[in-house]
Amino acid sequence: MKSLTTSAHLEPDTTSRVTVFGTDDHGGRFVSLRIGGDDVDLALIAHPGTADALRALARAADEAASALDQMTEPPSDGDA
């Protein structure tokens, strides 16, 4: 990944969309993963050969979602 650090807060209405670009064999093929809201729109550009990086990102996002789920679960009887 190229170097850039930024932050934005996800909101319940945050949207995401995938768009596939190009069909030629001259480097013009890529996928755009856009995550956005009212004030911020993040676009991740992935070229052929980077699918594993996107899969790793998806796994990390799933892990983060699970952690958030655990934060909102009521404590069990033994945890009170």
Side-chain angles (χ1 to χ4, degrees), residues 15-70:
T15 61
S16 60
R17 90 179 163 264
V18 173
T19 308
V20 178
F21 290 91
T23 56
D24 64 43
D25 293 326
H26 302 291
R29 297 179 300 161
F30 64 95
V31 172
S32 168
L33 169 58
R34 297 183 80 86
I35 305 163
D38 291 334
D39 297 325
V40 176
D41 197 28
L42 170 68
L44 299 176
I45 306 301
H47 292 277
T50 61
D52 286 342
L54 280 178
R55 288 186 185 98
L57 176 62
R59 284 190 299 274
D62 189 53
E63 182 180 335
S66 293
L68 288 172
D69 289 340
Q70 290 176 5

